Amino acid sequence: MSMFGAIDAAGSGMTAERLRLDVISNNLANANTTRTNKGGPFRRQVVVYMPRDEYSDFGRMLAAKLEAGKGVRVVGIVEDNSPSPVVYDPYHPDADAQGYVHMPNINVVAEMVDMITASRSYEANVASIASSKAMAAKALEIGR
């Protein structure tokens, strides 16, 4: 992998983690949203990643298996279909006839852990770019 390949892979990781942070922030912002345009409570969203290797033929795929990865890309943002918790609150405007409210399936503690993980991954990609930059600077010094 060339220096620019390492920077490109780390950059793709930074882009993916920034999107993940945006999705987590959206989840936290809607942790108490009980009414959406689709009806029902807000559903937690999750980012789906995929390696950024695209091959048109077998030879390129085989050659790529012998190299380091090329980064990551986001395939999509999907809704978490886990069941939503039900809370008894007969005075809530979205309560059903029995007084139960379907809340979003968002666990704030889990979202905060995901946010810390995404932040650390972003920082690791920044460190990777800094290391690549330092190695290139040292290589230029040797060449003088």
Side-chain angles (χ1 to χ4, degrees):
M1 176 180 281
S2 69
M3 180 191 77
F4 293 115
I7 291 174
D8 187 45
S12 71
M14 291 170 60
T15 301
E17 294 302 331
R18 184 189 53 78
L19 178 64
R20 183 175 167 204
L21 283 170
D22 289 345
V23 169
I24 292 169
S25 297
N26 189 42
N27 287 341
L28 288 172
N30 288 294
N32 293 315
T33 302
T34 57
R35 188 181 310 172
T36 62
N37 291 337
K38 293 188 282 185
F42 181 81
R43 309 294 301 178
R44 179 177 182 256
Q45 296 176 329
V46 179
V47 177
V48 178
Y49 299 109
M50 183 176 178
R52 208 171 67 171
D53 297 330
E54 295 181 18
Y55 312 108
S56 57
D57 60 19
F58 180 73
R60 290 184 63 194
M61 181 172 54
L62 182 62
K65 291 292 179 190
L66 301 174
E67 297 178 359
K70 297 187 184 320
V72 67
R73 68 182 174 109
V74 173
V75 176
I77 299 171
V78 297
E79 287 188 353
D80 182 1
N81 290 324
S82 62
S84 58
V86 179
V87 175
Y88 181 73
D89 185 2
Y91 302 108
H92 194 282
D94 292 327
D96 61 10
Q98 288 82 32
Y100 290 101
V101 180
H102 290 270
M103 300 298 291
N105 58 350
I106 297 171
N107 181 341
V108 175
V109 175
E111 294 296 323
M112 293 301 293
V113 170
D114 283 350
M115 182 182 291
I116 291 169
T117 303
S119 178
R120 297 288 185 248
S121 295
Y122 188 91
E123 291 171 2
N125 285 306
V126 169
S128 175
I129 289 174
S131 295
S132 295
K133 183 179 163 188
M135 286 192 304
K138 285 291 182 187
L140 288 175
E141 279 183 26
I142 291 171
R144 288 185 188 175

